[in-house]
Amino acid sequence: TNKKPAQASITKVKQFEGSTSFVRRTQWMLEQLRQVNGIDPNKDSPEFDLIFENAFDQWVASTASEKCTFFQVLHHTCQQYLTDKKPEFINCQSKIMGAIDSASAIKE
């Protein structure tokens, strides 16, 4: 086949105070993602960690709700594009995991 395989990446961006644009900070291929750590499943918090093959990176979403949406989209993307090593989602709130599990059940 001449068709290129789909490639997905995770890009960390930062918006500096007073600016309307974002600056790319770091980028990884989706295949490098090993673990998504919500840090505290008992607290609405925008902080989370992503663990890659050779890197550990701390992230902060704009809001806890945005983090939840990011996790749902990230989980769906991993299910869609990764066939082998899918990342582990740990310390995520039950409402996030419930939405993720429901999305997986619908797809299967």
Side-chain angles (χ1 to χ4, degrees), residues 1-106:
T1 178
N2 293 335
K3 196 174 181 184
K4 273 188 167 181
Q7 289 190 328
S9 61
I10 299 171
T11 304
K12 186 176 188 178
V13 296
K14 181 172 177 89
Q15 184 177 32
F16 291 96
E17 206 171 311
S19 175
T20 56
S21 60
F22 291 88
V23 176
R24 186 168 84 177
R25 305 296 282 181
T26 319
Q27 186 171 36
W28 298 270
M29 295 308 296
L30 189 61
E31 296 83 24
Q32 294 176 296
L33 182 62
R34 294 292 170 255
Q35 187 180 80
V36 177
N37 185 345
I39 301 175
D40 188 348
N42 302 313
K43 188 171 104 176
D44 267 343
S45 154
E47 293 90 15
F48 61 99
D49 297 330
L50 296 182
I51 293 96
F52 296 92
E53 269 178 11
N54 298 313
F56 167 86
D57 202 61
Q58 295 179 311
W59 292 52
V60 180
S62 296
T63 64
S65 175
E66 185 181 86
K67 172 180 139 180
C68 177
T69 301
F70 177 76
F71 281 6
Q72 291 170 358
V73 170
L74 182 59
H75 185 270
H76 177 76
T77 303
C78 290
Q79 295 304 311
Q80 186 173 359
Y81 292 106
L82 299 178
T83 53
D84 296 334
K85 295 180 180 176
K86 291 186 172 82
E88 176 184 29
F89 283 72
I90 64 167
N91 297 321
C92 297
Q93 291 184 326
S94 56
K95 65 180 178 184
I96 295 171
M97 295 314 291
I100 288 173
D101 290 341
S102 296
S104 295
I106 291 168

